Amino acid sequence: MSKLSELAVIVEYGKLREVEAAVAAALDEGNAPIDVLNVGLVDPINVLGEKFRLGEIFVPELLIASRCMKTGVEKVRPMLSGGDVKSLGRAICATVAGDMHDIGKNLVALLMGSAGFEVVDIGMDVEPEAVVEALRENPDTKIIGLSALLTTTMYSMKDTIEALEEAGLRDRVKVMVGGAPVNQKFADQIGADGYATNATSAVDLAKKLVGVSG
Amino acid sequence: MDRSDFNNVQKCGSPLLFLTREEMELVHSGALQVLREVGSDIQHEGAREMLRKVGCGVKGKRVFMPEGLVEWAARQAPSHIHVYDRDGNIAMDLGGRNVYYGTGSDCPTILDVYTGEHRPFTYKDMEDGAKITDALPQLDFLMCCGLMYDYPVTSYEHQYAVMLRNSTKPQVVTAANRESISNITKMAIAVRGSLEELSKRPLFIMYNEPTSPLNHTFDAVDKLIYCAENQLPTNYSPCMMTGATGPITNAGGLIQADAECLAGLVIHQLARPGAPIVFGGAMYNMDLKCMQPTYCSPESIVNNIALAQIGRDLYHVPTWGFTGCSGGKVFDAQAMNESAQYVFAVGFGGVNLNHDVGFMNYGLTFSYEMLVAANETISQMRRVFDGVVFDRSHMAIDIIKKVGPKGHYLSEEHTLEYNAEMWLPDLTDRADLEKWERDGRTTFEQRVKARAIDIIENYKPKPLTPEQDAAVDEILRLADAAAEKK
Ligand code: B12
């Protein structure tokens, strides 16, 4: 097996401790850094992402492999030129004010990250003003993902969207919403751009909203 | 059939114990190590100050509790909590191995009994849930079943009013914060007459929880302190999804959960030493494909009962459990199987206050059919827990001698007398094939559904007095007005 394929296997199997050496070996073998990135690091994640969608693997398999990918990317990054590391764009994820449920939001953020978004996770119980603030700090943000798990906090999503409007920033970003009590009807009512029921479909939705096909 | 007098105290000769004494000590010692070394995030300044004063290390929001303080707190909490119904009669003696069952709370959706669809939970559903729980003799307490979409801000207050009006059974209540739990307390006072009376004969236990891993939110801590100060019972139950918010192994989950429960216990006992608290909680693994909490997985059942064992046998406090729930989406054989397993397990495990009967879809959907069916399961299980009675008459040696070889027992008075002790089916079918066909060839599911509908349409709960009713209305009016202002 070539060192490049070996790297892809190491990433796919989530062997964190072996990634750096495998990246070095693949480069030593004479592979271009861009191939190491795409074939050795990114492709295996795409394969796993698809397997996860089909229910063939468990989420930690995907997430640990993503950690491998990130470690590998850091190693090759100095050898790449600016445009080589493709990003689907910046995203902000938050659980809205009053709500302490963050696992669903974390999963959405993690899967978006492994799909190629640059995710800024601003935590849970996030006030509308703090979302606006985060957007000001990250003006290149394309999409905001809001999560709520309570019938009593889902209206904070509405407040957040209104705060974006008041700040004059609403048109600059897409807003998608999710969480157990939320549904499409509610998403439409509060003027969100999209709703998804789970993390995998959240990634698809995000891609659609920023205009890249899944 | 009401056979609730049969037991509540189970008499199994060798009850279910998952842990040895040494293993309980391992969990306890692991938890102490976590509390002292890793610490807990306490998002409540008043509580941090209280903890600092008694010798805890405090760094920002992180609090490090010394072993001695934790063990002091465990010794302060009472071993029994007596809970009374709306009429003031004793309803539950939480402690030891006494086993009680009740509904779950706060589901966003309901499995509609009439149409079979999953739809948002409403005010009317809450009324139905309270009536059904009141009518079912094996359910000992009620929680709110669902969170009503009709009242996004004051739903906890309105839910409590509905429970109070439609059932005399004691409640376990959920509340958003100090304000909503104090509104609920006011309504309970409207029934009992005074706060003093209410703490002497509690009508509700407040439900409360830490945020795994090792985080304690402002509202959770504030509610703990509120209950302690007012001598009103509360629990403090982790809802840990092992693999996501706790270690995936049973032993690891138990250690972290013990640490979370103990951190709550320390704050609670510092606020008022000796105040009543229920110990224990869930460590249900997250299904790492569908990414939902499993609630009733085999691992959850073991963890729940093991943590309760530690509460009962190591700390000598009343215990909290899960039961009667399912990950299924409709009331089917899976739902029945999962629900019945859990009913039996916590009973056999001697866990005191077991909630979540009626939960489906991992806590997202409530089913009244599940509730009605579980009543039948609990009734059977309680008979099982009666075990074997040994007295002269039950041992029946005289009758064995009298009947002798080749005789029969059908015409003996002893048979008739003790037949009254046999468990009698209510919705369970035991007819012969011919009678079953004559009676309409119904399935258990159909009989359960018919019973649920019958209760919804015909059951008349005992009302509050007009004065109590008016007082509750006034409390709701003020709560709504306060919410409106915000
Ligand atoms: C774990 C849990 C907790 C933990 C949370 C810990 C943490 N770090 O997150 C703790 C113990 C703290 C907790 C607290 C409470 N909880 Co809670 N909790 C749950 C539980 C069991 C699981 C939630 C979860 O993490 N699921 C797993 C994740 C992966 O799923 P998810 O969040 O739904 O996310 C997925 C999708 O929804 C979607 N998604 C999520 N976010 C987003 C965002 C976007 C943009 C998109 C596109 C998609 C998307 O993708 C995700 C991945 O597939 C649920 C029951 C349930 N099955 O949902 C109750 C539940 C949500 N809780 C409930 C309640 C009532 C509470 C409390 C109010 C209880 C109380 N009285 O104290 C408190 C509230 C505290 C607060 N202010 O927030 C109710 C909600 C009822 C309602 N109708 O609103 C539920 C339904 C349980 C119940 N029946 O009682 N809870």
Side-chain angles (χ1 to χ4, degrees):
Chain A
M1 206 195 293
S2 75
K3 293 291 170 197
L4 192 56
S5 320
E6 260 177 42
L7 171 62
V9 171
I10 280 170
V11 171
E12 185 174 341
Y13 285 89
K15 296 187 177 160
L16 276 169
R17 280 170 215 87
E18 297 172 28
V19 176
E20 292 201 359
V23 169
L27 290 167
D28 284 350
E29 202 181 48
N31 295 295
I34 180 78
D35 293 334
V36 172
L37 174 73
N38 287 334
V39 182
L41 298 169
V42 176
D43 281 357
I45 299 301
N46 290 337
V47 171
L48 288 179
E50 195 49 31
K51 284 190 176 172
F52 178 68
R53 172 203 308 277
L54 298 172
E56 287 171 12
I57 59 165
F58 298 103
V59 77
E61 297 179 70
L62 174 59
L63 297 179
I64 294 167
S66 300
R67 282 175 61 195
C68 288
M69 172 188 73
K70 279 188 198 129
T71 309
V73 170
E74 287 321 305
K75 187 100 178 140
V76 282
R77 194 188 291 276
M79 284 158 249
L80 296 165
S81 58
D84 284 346
V85 184
K86 272 188 243 106
S87 163
L88 297 182
R90 193 177 298 280
I92 293 174
C93 286
T95 298
V96 295
D99 206 310
M100 308 296 168
H101 296 86
D102 65 351
I103 302 303
K105 180 265 299 164
N106 292 351
L107 272 168
V108 169
L110 285 165
L111 293 205
M112 284 178 75
S114 67
F117 284 93
E118 283 171 74
V119 183
V120 183
D121 183 339
I122 55 171
M124 60 181 169
D125 190 13
V126 180
E127 295 291 337
E129 298 73 47
V131 176
V132 172
E133 196 48 39
L135 182 56
R136 289 215 173 94
E137 280 166 21
N138 299 279
D140 57 341
T141 299
K142 289 188 180 167
I143 186 159
I144 296 180
L146 300 176
S147 181
L149 265 279
L150 296 169
T151 317
T152 47
T153 57
M154 53 198 257
Y155 293 89
S156 301
M157 293 178 153
K158 184 165 173 266
D159 299 342
T160 308
I161 291 177
E162 282 170 6
L164 289 169
E165 272 161 11
E166 269 163 41
L169 298 170
R170 177 66 185 91
D171 300 336
R172 295 233 311 254
V173 284
K174 299 288 183 191
V175 177
M176 58 173 193
V177 295
V182 182
N183 53 34
Q184 186 65 52
K185 198 171 131 209
F186 179 78
D188 294 342
Q189 264 171 24
I190 64 168
D193 299 302
Y195 157 78
T197 54
N198 61 43
T200 310
S201 40
V203 173
D204 294 344
L205 172 65
K207 284 182 180 169
K208 207 178 92 195
L209 290 176
V210 301
V212 278
S213 57
Chain B
M1 186 193 51
D2 183 0
R3 301 226 143 189
S4 43
D5 55 328
F6 258 15
N7 73 76
N8 270 325
V9 182
Q10 63 153 321
K11 305 186 192 92
C12 303
S14 93
L16 182 60
L17 298 171
F18 282 117
L19 308 178
T20 63
R21 181 88 207 168
E22 291 69 33
E23 287 164 345
M24 287 196 282
E25 292 288 350
L26 285 176
V27 173
H28 177 63
S29 155
L32 289 179
Q33 193 183 332
V34 169
L35 287 170
R36 181 178 42 76
E37 200 181 304
V38 185
S40 318
D41 278 4
I42 313 282
Q43 318 281 347
H44 189 291
E45 209 188 315
R48 286 200 301 274
E49 194 44 34
M50 194 166 69
L51 289 158
R52 199 185 51 75
K53 278 194 190 135
V54 293
C56 294
V58 179
K59 239 193 214 149
K61 293 187 170 166
R62 187 68 55 92
V63 175
F64 306 89
M65 299 180 182
E67 287 90 337
L69 174 69
V70 178
E71 293 187 339
W72 168 86
R75 283 193 304 273
Q76 305 313 304
S79 61
H80 282 257
I81 300 175
H82 299 99
V83 185
Y84 295 73
D85 67 15
R86 208 181 70 191
D87 297 331
N89 304 313
I90 180 127
M92 299 191 284
D93 168 9
L94 307 176
R97 301 186 62 85
N98 297 351
V99 180
Y100 301 95
Y101 296 92
T103 59
S105 74
D106 295 286
C107 290
T109 56
I110 175 125
L111 184 64
D112 191 299
V113 182
Y114 292 90
T115 65
E117 62 173 341
H118 293 85
R119 57 162 178 78
F121 191 93
T122 64
Y123 188 87
K124 166 74 168 62
D125 297 319
M126 182 66 256
E127 285 181 332
D128 295 347
K131 278 182 355 189
I132 293 172
T133 313
D134 197 55
L136 295 173
Q138 301 298 331
L139 288 161
D140 303 296
F141 65 94
L142 72 156
M143 289 187 84
C144 66
C145 305
L147 198 59
M148 312 183 299
Y149 272 76
D150 336 30
Y151 294 89
V153 186
T154 49
S155 54
Y156 293 109
E157 283 86 345
H158 284 273
Q159 274 153 207
Y160 190 66
V162 173
M163 292 197 280
L164 209 52
R165 284 176 165 143
N166 289 283
S167 173
T168 58
K169 291 186 180 178
Q171 316 93 10
V172 173
V173 302
T174 45
N177 47 31
R178 180 181 282 256
E179 196 180 335
S180 67
I181 188 62
S182 65
N183 284 332
I184 287 168
T185 305
K186 282 179 202 152
M187 288 186 249
I189 290 173
V191 168
R192 282 283 188 268
S194 67
L195 177 61
E196 227 179 9
E197 264 312 299
L198 180 64
S199 52
K200 210 195 286 165
R201 286 183 300 157
L203 173 57
F204 68 78
I205 294 150
M206 190 191 67
Y207 171 87
N208 201 356
E209 47 187 36
T211 303
S212 309
L214 305 170
N215 185 19
H216 305 267
T217 62
F218 175 84
D219 286 324
V221 172
D222 208 38
K223 285 188 284 180
L224 266 184
I225 295 174
Y226 175 88
C227 284
E229 284 171 350
N230 292 295
Q231 285 278 54
L232 298 170
T234 179
N235 76 340
Y236 199 58
S237 157
C239 288
M240 183 190 297
M241 294 180 289
T242 60
T245 57
I248 196 161
T249 49
N250 285 1
L254 280 166
I255 289 172
Q256 186 185 305
D258 194 25
E260 291 167 353
C261 289
L262 287 172
L265 185 75
V266 168
I267 295 171
H268 182 260
Q269 292 303 310
L270 280 175
R272 179 150 179 180
I277 185 163
V278 180
F279 184 92
M283 295 129 275
Y284 31 60
N285 50 312
M286 177 183 266
D287 179 294
L288 293 172
K289 280 185 178 171
C290 85
M291 297 184 292
Q292 284 296 333
T294 47
Y295 271 88
C296 51
S297 67
E299 299 80 9
S300 325
I301 295 179
V302 172
N303 279 339
N304 183 186
I305 294 172
L307 189 61
Q309 187 193 340
I310 292 172
R312 180 187 60 236
D313 295 341
L314 207 58
Y315 307 141
H316 308 290
V317 287
T319 56
W320 176 252
F322 288 67
T323 196
C325 51
S326 167
K329 310 300 174 289
V330 292
F331 174 58
D332 61 0
Q334 177 190 335
M336 236 9 260
N337 179 30
E338 290 181 329
S339 150
Q341 278 179 26
Y342 218 157
V343 165
F344 187 85
V346 289
F348 201 36
V351 188
N352 299 148
L353 193 59
N354 303 290
H355 81 307
D356 277 355
V357 177
F359 260 31
M360 309 205 54
N361 190 16
Y362 6 83
L364 294 173
T365 306
F366 202 91
S367 160
Y368 292 143
E369 285 143 290
M370 279 273 281
L371 204 55
V372 169
N375 182 69
E376 186 95 347
T377 314
I378 297 166
S379 152
Q380 292 182 47
M381 292 311 156
R382 284 193 154 145
R383 180 60 184 143
V384 172
F385 302 149
D386 276 349
V388 186
V389 178
F390 285 97
D391 57 32
R392 208 187 151 91
S393 186
H394 277 86
M395 287 167 72
I397 294 175
D398 293 343
I399 313 295
I400 299 170
K401 284 182 185 165
K402 184 179 161 220
V403 172
K406 295 187 177 163
H408 68 77
Y409 292 83
L410 287 168
S411 28
E412 292 304 319
E413 283 173 311
H414 183 269
T415 305
L416 183 60
E417 185 180 348
Y418 288 100
N419 184 46
E421 280 185 6
M422 300 301 113
W423 182 79
L424 285 185
D426 177 7
L427 296 167
T428 302
D429 166 58
R430 280 184 181 172
D432 60 28
L433 187 61
E434 197 191 301
K435 181 168 176 350
W436 175 74
E437 287 188 327
R438 213 176 335 112
D439 290 348
R441 302 175 62 95
T442 57
T443 63
F444 182 68
E445 289 91 321
Q446 289 167 329
R447 295 189 294 275
V448 164
K449 179 175 169 169
R451 173 66 55 82
I453 290 176
D454 179 43
I455 300 175
I456 290 174
E457 294 179 358
N458 302 312
Y459 182 73
K460 297 268 175 298
K462 184 176 170 188
L464 290 173
T465 66
E467 298 74 41
Q468 292 169 337
D469 215 51
V472 167
D473 268 339
E474 180 59 11
I475 296 160
L476 290 177
R477 197 185 59 76
L478 292 174
D480 284 332
E484 194 66 40
K485 251 203 206 144
K486 278 192 204 152

